[in-house]
Amino acid sequence: MQLPNHGANPEHLAKQLEILLQANAIDFSVNTTPLPLQTQISENWQSYLETITKYPDPTSEQLTAVIAEKEGLSPHELLVGNGAAQLIFLLALFFQRKRVAIVEPSFSEYRDACQIFNCEIEGIFLNNPWKLDVTEIIAKSKQKDLLFICNPNNPTGVAYSLQEIEYVIEKLEPFQVTVVIDEAFYDFQENGPTLIKLVKNYQNVIVLRSLTKMYGIAGLRLGYIAANPSFIQKLRLLQAPWSVNGLVQRIGCDCLQDLRYPKEVQKYCKSERQRIFPLLREMGYEVSNSVVNFYLLKEKTQQGESMPLLKFLLQQGIVPRHTYNFPSLDGRYLRLAVKTVSENNQLLAVLARWKEQC
């Protein structure tokens, strides 16, 4: 049995588990915005189509300028790519055969990409409630070349202290350890706490961002890296020509210039977390202290894997994200997205039925 490595693949998941997926199944494995697509994108769609007949700007100059202005950075400190995943593989290529540490559980692509490029990998595993042990992280990373920290973390949804992460960066700088801070979900928090400005203060900092999660454009693929200009210049040489198509560049500019939409998403996700988390805990489920648009869930009394609950949810038209390929979680949890009020209510009802039959 080969379960999919990512969410957003309900048909493959159901097929592998030999379950007939309902036509109206709700995909809780997708951790993108729960709110409708920005009206600006649908309103401008006709004009976007003009871009598909032209070669895209190979350096995404206009989009880079918009990001630079928004983040208070220089365009020379930014590299736009075809989604965060492509940029992770680009980093793995740059650091091929090097020594890598990963704060885990975390996004599986770090480990997958580094394995492909023959890196020596060590996981630094956090336990529930998944707080950073800065002393252990520094001690285990001193002899490494690269360290990955996902903040807020995927799959737990837990946010780490910015002060603690900066402390790790500061202590590892003399050892020439590059620290990658993946902020793919930073903008789902209120006020979006970020360490992106640290690229101006430290030579060993890389901040990774995704635009597909917040703006609901996962099918278009768009992300970027912020780092010191020297590193960006070297990394750009490894990037394939025309990595970001013209349509994506145009839509990315429009998304970033809409300051209202992210605040609406932040407010909504916080409201729904505050509503459903107490209800889930009252039912007897353990829920991670997420600050974003997804969370981990398991039964409080459950010691082993979550496969029976996963199968039950699928049979009831609820598609969760399994955690079998997250080292240290090993399938004991399910990851669920914050969806619409109606969809979240359906999830609550199904989870209540599971408790009734147990």
Side-chain angles (χ1 to χ4, degrees), residues 13 18 39-40 54 56 80-81 92 103 105 119 167 177 186 207 210 215 243 253 264 294 308 312:
L13 178 64
E18 299 181 345
T39 55
Q40 186 177 10
K54 304 174 184 177
V80 177
V103 176
C119 295
Y167 179 77
V177 181
Y186 91 100
V207 174
S210 169
Y215 298 102
S243 285
C253 287
E264 289 182 359
F294 57 86
F312 177 80

Side-chain angles (χ1 to χ4, degrees), residues 30 38 46 48 64 88 97 117 143 147 187 201 203 206 219 224 228 241 298 308 311 328 342:
V30 178
Q38 291 170 292
Q46 192 62 41
Y48 291 151
T64 301
I88 290 168
R97 302 183 185 279
F117 289 101
Q143 303 305 317
L147 169 66
D187 47 1
N201 303 329
Q203 294 296 301
I206 297 170
Y224 63 91
N228 71 79
K298 77 167 187 172
K311 288 183 175 180
S328 81
S342 174

Side-chain angles (χ1 to χ4, degrees), residues 18-43:
E18 299 181 345
I19 292 173
L20 181 62
L21 193 65
Q22 296 181 15
N24 60 345
I26 306 170
D27 192 355
F28 278 83
S29 71
V30 178
N31 52 4
T32 56
T33 175
L35 298 188
L37 195 69
Q38 291 170 292
T39 55
Q40 186 177 10
I41 293 178
S42 54
E43 289 173 355

Side-chain angles (χ1 to χ4, degrees), residues 13 16 45 79 86 132 136 138 144 156 160 164 215 291 334 339 344:
L13 178 64
Q16 290 299 309
W45 191 250
L79 178 65
Q86 186 219 32
L132 290 184
E136 180 186 19
I138 293 168
K144 301 294 190 286
T156 66
Y160 308 132
E164 286 183 321
Y215 298 102
V291 298
L334 297 176
K339 306 287 280 185
N344 290 333

Side-chain angles (χ1 to χ4, degrees), residues 105-238:
S106 201
F107 187 40
S108 60
E109 290 294 349
Y110 311 144
R111 184 174 284 270
D112 292 346
C114 290
Q115 284 177 339
I116 287 172
F117 289 101
N118 301 305
C119 295
E120 179 186 308
I121 305 167
E122 179 178 2
I124 303 173
F125 299 105
L126 307 182
N127 296 316
N128 191 350
W130 300 290
K131 292 183 179 180
L132 290 184
D133 183 338
V134 295
T135 302
E136 180 186 19
I137 291 171
I138 293 168
K140 290 187 174 181
S141 301
K142 282 181 179 180
Q143 303 305 317
K144 301 294 190 286
D145 300 290
L146 187 66
L147 169 66
F148 282 97
I149 301 176
C150 185
N151 187 50
N153 178 260
N154 178 14
T156 66
V158 171
Y160 308 132
S161 160
L162 300 189
Q163 292 74 22
E164 286 183 321
I165 297 177
E166 184 171 4
Y167 179 77
V168 170
I169 293 166
E170 180 184 350
K171 293 301 179 182
L172 292 179
E173 187 177 36
F175 298 93
Q176 298 182 320
V177 181
T178 300
V179 181
V180 177
I181 308 162
D182 186 346
E183 294 188 341
F185 296 95
Y186 91 100
D187 47 1
F188 284 90
Q189 303 174 87
E190 282 191 308
N191 303 316
T194 173
L195 289 171
I196 199 166
K197 293 290 181 63
L198 292 188
V199 302
K200 292 186 174 296
N201 303 329
Y202 297 95
Q203 294 296 301
N204 66 323
V205 174
I206 297 170
V207 174
L208 178 65
R209 292 274 186 85
S210 169
L211 274 71
T212 62
K213 314 295 186 184
M214 169 57 71
Y215 298 102
I217 53 172
L220 294 180
R221 315 306 306 143
L222 184 59
Y224 63 91
I225 278 176
N228 71 79
S230 175
F231 180 80
I232 291 294
Q233 186 176 14
K234 294 173 185 175
L235 199 63
R236 192 185 300 277
L237 296 175
L238 300 177

Side-chain angles (χ1 to χ4, degrees), residues 255-267:
C255 286
L256 289 168
Q257 289 171 337
D258 184 348
L259 303 180
R260 172 193 54 82
Y261 184 79
K263 293 185 182 301
E264 289 182 359
V265 174
Q266 292 164 10
K267 182 178 179 181

Side-chain angles (χ1 to χ4, degrees), residues 322-337:
H322 73 86
T323 61
Y324 286 96
N325 64 330
F326 288 104
S328 81
L329 295 185
D330 304 320
R332 291 177 293 113
Y333 294 81
L334 297 176
R335 194 191 72 191
L336 297 162

